[in-house]
Amino acid sequence: MILELIDKLEQQHCLAKEEWTMLIAGRNEEAAAYLFEKARYWQHKYFGNKVYTRGLIEFTNYCKNDCYYCGIRRSNGKAERYRLTKEQILECCATGYELGFRTFVLQGGEDGWFTQEKLEDIVRTIKESFPDCALTLSVGERSFESYQRLFEAGADRYLLRHETAEDVHYRKLHPPELSSENRKQCLRNLKEIGYQTGTGFMVGSPGQTPEQLAEDMMFIHELQPHMVGIGPFVPHHETPFAEEVGGTVELTLFMIGLLRLMQPKLLLPSTTALGTIDPLGREKGIQAGANVVMPNLSPTSVRKKYELYDNKICTGDEAAECRMCLNRRMESIGYELVTDRGDYPDEDS
């Protein structure tokens, strides 16, 4: 029955909630092997053996929010806070450009110090300085107008993980002032404006059930994003979830495979969190159907401070080391790290 559901997903690219739940809850090693083989077929059909790179610049770890799972949450008084200057951000881009990166991801907490005007100025300057590069923003929930203006300033893509699509579970992970519905509306706004839009969720977050993962898949099918970033929940010692059990590599890989079958052209990262809980996690992610990696371009002086969860890897490496290391890792499993923008297939870039 489980293999039949995988076949049905491959043919129809969607399942009913009960089918998703049955498939996720009933998975086993045989089903995973069968799924990954199919996921690689679609991955190779649209992307060959190419793995796209995104240069990640973590430019501020100040955040006004207090999400219960996050190491840079407002209430963490032990976090060592920092902000990169515009000049430092542009230096990171220049370093990345020299290394072959043609996509930069500006990621940070929801930090009011970076006003709308400052962000627009940074976006505009990056796009003027590196016109052949794509720019992704990941700076949280904002108004339609704010997203519109950042798009007009030159931002191409936006990442906003919905974290969990089911409302009760969302409230378990977030303080009352944040709502699942607002987050989803932000994602709909981003798509309407014209961004290549990315969402995603944590696998194995506290209290998560197969039914809730089914809701995630149904929301993603409804949204039809261009990118989905998923990774295992990894506890952080200075959060309310410090003692919770983390997510597993096994379930994360299975969800990656399901996403590839549901949306074959998806841009699907093999995340740092996977590499954090398994030394070969990123390679396994690619072999399960992922096709994007995100090496860190942030200055080494701040990398340890952008600690969303414990034991994050690559915090001491220079950008070039990260790039070369990932290159070798991808080659070891028969894939090639490529340097183009890596836009969503059949999308005007």
Side-chain angles (χ1 to χ4, degrees), residues 300-315:
T300 50
S301 59
V302 302
R303 285 197 198 175
K304 284 188 172 65
K305 299 172 188 175
Y306 200 86
E307 190 184 55
L308 306 183
Y309 48 82
D310 285 347
N311 304 315
K312 187 175 159 190
I313 53 172
C314 301
T315 53

Side-chain angles (χ1 to χ4, degrees), residues 160-179:
L160 183 69
R161 300 203 332 181
H162 67 273
E163 300 303 2
T164 177
E166 202 255 343
D167 191 49
V168 174
H169 191 225
Y170 194 90
R171 291 201 296 272
K172 183 181 171 81
L173 304 180
H174 300 89
E177 63 270 17
L178 296 175
S179 81

